Amino acid sequence: MARESVNGAARQSKSQQAYQWIKERIARNEYTAGYRLVLGAIAKELGMSVVPVREAIRQLEAEGFVTFEHNVGAQVAMVDEAQYRDSMLALSVLEGATTALAARRLSADDLREARAINRQMVATLDHFDPLLFTTLNQQFHAILFTKCVNARMVALVQAEWARLGHLRSSTFSFVPGRAHESVCEHDAIVDLIEAGAPLAEIENAARRHRTATLDAYMAHEHPGDTFGLPA
């Protein structure tokens, strides 16, 4: 089956096919942190030589998804907790502000699309797929912030989203219960925008939504600790 999937991607080089195949399994948490990536076994699974798999591993290493240790080989990178925390806190401030600044420019169609995506997210909860949920989550938030009047702020938010991707940080993989809370908060943010709520209220709601995700991850990793994260 893996060979059929890979062969179907005719326009991709073999190294890119291997890259996508491995990255998807990391994102779905099939290859968990510390999982050893045996090049020969992966090459056999994909029906290709070791050379393109090695190139794929190098690309994933450059992006922070994979680490390489002497006498150990390639393995899935551990989540860098400090970088994750810093990116999420930065994103909470940036995305809260951009969401507020975009609010008055969002059309009824934009809000309907955001609600439709959130319904898709709700539909995934019974058979939870962290990768799909995270993808839909990014689409939802992109609708709410990309019409911000400050293009530089939008670029910064997008950069932090990309950074989180490089950190392999789908919190929903580690704390799936957070997903149920998240979709409810999405509806609340859209309700505020639709009602023409004060921009400060919209900003605070968007910011709290982001820090709540960080809180959930930190509480899962360090139960009983308090971190004093901003509300």
Side-chain angles (χ1 to χ4, degrees), residues 79-93 137 160 164 167 169-172 174-175 178-179 181-182 185 206-223 225-231:
V79 174
D80 188 318
E81 190 173 280
Q83 289 185 44
Y84 175 69
R85 183 180 62 248
D86 290 350
S87 282
M88 285 293 283
L89 287 173
L91 191 58
S92 72
V93 175
N137 187 51
E160 285 305 318
L164 285 169
L167 293 172
S169 57
S170 173
T171 305
F172 305 112
F174 302 97
V175 196
R178 170 61 190 148
E181 300 170 355
S182 184
E185 291 165 11
R207 182 174 178 175
R208 285 196 306 270
H209 171 66
R210 186 62 55 209
T211 55
T213 299
L214 175 58
D215 288 346
Y217 174 78
M218 297 300 287
H220 178 268
E221 294 298 298
H222 305 279
D225 287 355
T226 56
F227 302 94
L229 296 175

Side-chain angles (χ1 to χ4, degrees), residues 42-102:
I42 293 172
K44 184 177 180 180
E45 179 78 13
L46 296 177
M48 60 178 64
S49 73
V50 171
V51 174
V53 176
R54 184 179 294 113
E55 292 174 356
I57 294 294
R58 285 173 179 162
Q59 183 176 351
L60 288 162
E61 183 182 8
E63 294 178 0
F65 290 95
V66 170
T67 58
F68 189 89
E69 293 185 25
H70 185 62
N71 294 328
V72 176
Q75 57 186 10
V76 177
M78 304 296 288
V79 174
D80 188 318
E81 190 173 280
Q83 289 185 44
Y84 175 69
R85 183 180 62 248
D86 290 350
S87 282
M88 285 293 283
L89 287 173
L91 191 58
S92 72
V93 175
L94 289 166
E95 193 174 331
T98 53
T99 299
L101 291 172

Side-chain angles (χ1 to χ4, degrees), residues 17-161:
Q17 292 169 28
Y19 166 84
Q20 291 294 340
W21 191 86
I22 298 167
K23 187 176 180 179
E24 285 173 6
R25 277 149 185 78
I26 294 173
R28 289 202 297 264
N29 221 30
E30 290 180 25
Y31 290 172
T32 56
Y35 182 91
R36 189 181 174 198
L37 299 168
V38 181
L39 275 62
I42 293 172
K44 184 177 180 180
E45 179 78 13
L46 296 177
M48 60 178 64
S49 73
V50 171
V51 174
V53 176
R54 184 179 294 113
E55 292 174 356
I57 294 294
R58 285 173 179 162
Q59 183 176 351
L60 288 162
E61 183 182 8
E63 294 178 0
F65 290 95
V66 170
T67 58
F68 189 89
E69 293 185 25
H70 185 62
N71 294 328
V72 176
Q75 57 186 10
V76 177
M78 304 296 288
V79 174
D80 188 318
E81 190 173 280
Q83 289 185 44
Y84 175 69
R85 183 180 62 248
D86 290 350
S87 282
M88 285 293 283
L89 287 173
L91 191 58
S92 72
V93 175
L94 289 166
E95 193 174 331
T98 53
T99 299
L101 291 172
R104 300 294 190 252
R105 306 183 75 188
L106 295 175
S107 67
D109 286 342
D110 291 328
L111 297 180
R112 276 193 291 270
E113 184 179 359
R115 289 192 188 280
I117 291 172
N118 201 44
R119 286 195 296 271
Q120 291 180 57
M121 296 175 72
V122 171
T124 71
L125 296 177
D126 289 338
H127 303 284
F128 191 58
D129 181 341
L131 178 60
L132 175 59
F133 191 91
T134 298
T135 299
L136 291 170
N137 187 51
Q138 292 177 356
Q139 293 173 4
F140 172 87
H141 285 287
I143 291 171
L144 300 190
F145 72 72
T146 50
K147 286 191 174 181
C148 171
V149 294
N150 189 318
R152 177 59 181 159
M153 290 178 67
V154 172
L156 289 171
V157 172
Q158 292 170 334
E160 285 305 318
W161 271 107

